[in-house]
Amino acid sequence: MLRAVVTGNVWSTKRIDGLPNGAFLEVEVEGGGSRLVAFDVLGSGVGETVLVAQGSVAAAWFPGTPPPVDALVIGSVDHPPSPS
């Protein structure tokens, strides 16, 4: 699992059958600077810190035949409030 920050949207007007409603997001992995495209069904937005699962674990989340999804946003990181 990776911790990453959403840096943008990837617009796709056509997609394969079997993908649920969701968005493709560009995310930047914290600590490494690498970027990847992750599928998101949670409604995450630019600037949000998210948790991303990769590989067969990401694809296995989908019911039925797994689609070719390499990275899936599985959670949103809640930042604790700043101390007063």
Side-chain angles (χ1 to χ4, degrees), residues 47-73:
E48 192 170 342
T49 302
V50 295
L51 299 174
V52 178
Q54 288 187 290
S56 61
V57 172
W61 177 79
F62 297 93
T65 303
V69 170
D70 235 11
L72 177 67
V73 174

Side-chain angles (χ1 to χ4, degrees), residues 33-83:
S34 62
R35 291 181 179 229
L36 56 107
V37 174
F39 191 71
D40 174 53
V41 295
L42 302 178
S44 304
V46 173
E48 192 170 342
T49 302
V50 295
L51 299 174
V52 178
Q54 288 187 290
S56 61
V57 172
W61 177 79
F62 297 93
T65 303
V69 170
D70 235 11
L72 177 67
V73 174
I74 60 168
S76 177
V77 176
D78 297 326
H79 295 280
S82 302

Side-chain angles (χ1 to χ4, degrees), residues 10-25 38-41 62 67-69:
V10 177
W11 300 104
S12 174
T13 56
K14 295 181 182 179
R15 44 171 88 189
I16 63 169
D17 291 335
L19 279 179
N21 290 332
F24 293 105
L25 301 177
F39 191 71
D40 174 53
V41 295
F62 297 93
V69 170

